[in-house]
Amino acid sequence: MNEHKENYKDCAVEAAVMIIGGKWKPMLLYHLLSGTKRFLELQRLIAQASDRMMTKSLCELEQDRLILREVFAEVPVRVEYSLTKGGKTLIPILTAMSDWKNQRSS
């Protein structure tokens, strides 16, 4: 965890928002609930995100050990993203967010 995130250790909600907050991270995590995805798959699912923001968000999620980035030595190189054990602990939260939105739409 980086120094900036350590400043929020006294408030668990603030700390959680620093790690999984933002516009793209929750969406990336949600799409990874259904299984391993390649960058282009995630890009198609979140078309409004720029390549730069997708890469930055994925990198931060990897640094926080919520996702695993696996590189395969193939031509062309294949990179896959999946939830780690820690990332899977977010399943109830992400599912609740989805359910909440669906209930509001009804």
Side-chain angles (χ1 to χ4, degrees):
M1 193 176 287
N2 71 31
E3 190 177 307
H4 183 66
K5 292 174 187 166
E6 280 295 319
N7 294 334
Y8 294 96
K9 65 183 176 187
D10 294 332
C11 179
V13 172
E14 280 185 273
V17 169
M18 286 300 300
I19 294 169
I20 65 167
K23 190 169 185 176
W24 309 117
K25 288 181 187 180
M27 294 169 66
L28 287 164
L29 291 165
Y30 181 77
H31 287 300
L32 289 172
L33 291 178
S34 61
T36 301
K37 304 269 186 302
R38 294 175 74 173
F39 184 86
L40 287 177
E41 290 177 275
L42 291 167
Q43 195 174 40
R44 279 187 219 111
L45 291 166
I46 310 172
Q48 60 274 36
S50 69
D51 288 356
R52 181 179 176 273
M53 288 312 297
M54 288 273 292
T55 301
K56 182 179 186 287
S57 296
L58 287 165
C59 183
E60 289 174 3
L61 289 169
E62 182 184 12
Q63 288 173 351
D64 288 322
R65 292 181 246 153
L66 296 177
I67 65 168
L68 175 67
R69 179 180 184 265
E70 195 168 2
V71 180
F72 296 88
E74 300 174 353
V75 177
V77 174
R78 178 171 48 116
V79 179
E80 294 182 343
Y81 298 91
S82 59
L83 293 177
T84 62
K85 187 176 179 179
K88 289 178 182 175
T89 64
L90 295 168
I91 291 172
I93 296 165
L94 297 165
T95 302
M97 289 171 69
S98 178
D99 292 346
W100 176 80
K101 171 58 175 111
N102 291 334
Q103 289 172 1
R104 286 184 44 102
S105 298
S106 301

